[in-house]
Amino acid sequence: MDDGALQFFPAWRIRFDDTRGPGKGGIRFHPDVSAEEVAALSFWMTIKCAVVNLPFGGAKGGICVDPKALSRMELERLSRGYIRAFHDLIGPDLDIPAPDVNTNDTIMGWMADEFSRIERRQVPAAITGKPLGLGGSRGRTAATGRGALQVLDLWAERRGKTPEELRVAVQGFGNAGYHFARLAHERGYRIVALSDSKGAIHGNDGLDPDPIWRHKHETRELKGMVYCDASVCEEAEVEQLTNDDLLAMDVDVLVLAALEDAVTERNAASVNASMILEIANGPVSGAADELLSDRGVEVLPDVLLNAGGVIVSHLEWVQNRIGDIWSEEEVNQRLAGRLAREAELCFNYAEENSVTLRTAAYTQAIGRIADAMAHQGTREYFNSASA
Ligand code: NAD
């Protein structure tokens, strides 16, 4: 710590499955991080990478810490300490971390630098989500929101709806939620509500996410901090809501872009939206998923909807490995091509088999993982060889 004291923070890196390739998954800094949460997130990463057919398995990491209570130097020491603790488990062919909640390109830059120092050589493909100057990819920051919007567009097209007809409320105005809201607003969707951990705002005629984001971040820039401690609630001109009010709004699309378990058995009945977009990982609990499905509320599942981030992480890894730097257009084009292909397969499977999109996505992913396992060989081979 800055005062010279030594403090310990529990931390994890969990590789759930690497049948289809090296582990891939973000590192989360949050006071609620636990082994169980990291394990669940590493499972979701395994499914997500397989849904969009990336040559990766699934992993995740986390530190149980309130990062906003640390100074910038303390945060840098903690980030470097994480890499010192786990560096032998990380690498371009082993397990490739990336940002998640409360971690960003600045933190990935510190981590990538620490990894290279330990290895005594440049290994840019060991970590993705890095700053551009350290081998990060153009288009990475907006990729999750951009991918989510693309899947929403495909869904709307299939249902014969135009963006202008759809009213959207967004829970979680952070990195993923902001870029989604900004791009959706540009496309013509009406963003009628936004929230962060401190509260929500509502504007029936539509909110423009860009000035709200800039306003929220002005204080951060002034203080030179890594985190933003301002809130959307500081927008004086618009109506304020509670976070629970936002979840119960009568809108066409409810976007969940904060954390797990935003909608559970407790509040599923109060959801009035016709469909839910899971940008966060696991924002609808298993029990709530069934209740919503019984009521005909469609859920576009996290493992497909938020895969844009890991798709561009994969493109960053590829650029680092082949030693090239692609333009933002090239990155966005590759992202759009992969997502369109894989989302279409999920939509078609769901329609042809009358199952939910979540079931379709899991069927697609588990089928691919099972196929890889089958091709690894059989126990019988070894048994008969030793007989
Ligand atoms: P972030 O920390 O930038 O943003 C999270 C936002 O949620 C913050 O604005 C926070 O104030 C808000 N929030 C927290 N609790 C809330 C609550 N109860 N009500 C309303 N708002 C609340 O994180 P992020 O990177 O945007 O990630 C958000 C979610 O998306 C996470 O579940 C993450 O795992 C998932 N995700 C992110 C990416 C990515 O590329 N950023 C990729 C895939 C999945």
Side-chain angles (χ1 to χ4, degrees), residues 28 48 100-102 140 144 171-177 195-197 216 243 257-259 279-281 306 309:
R28 178 173 293 196
K48 192 185 307 180
D100 191 65
V101 173
N102 288 330
R140 172 65 185 86
T144 303
Q171 183 209 38
F173 198 49
N175 176 49
S195 72
D196 57 31
S197 56
K216 185 171 145 115
N243 283 331
L259 291 169
I279 291 188
N281 289 304
N306 69 26

Side-chain angles (χ1 to χ4, degrees), residues 352-370:
E352 285 158 17
N353 297 281
S354 303
V355 293
T356 64
L357 276 167
R358 196 186 307 280
T359 300
Y362 274 73
T363 306
Q364 183 156 308
I366 292 169
R368 285 172 176 161
I369 298 166

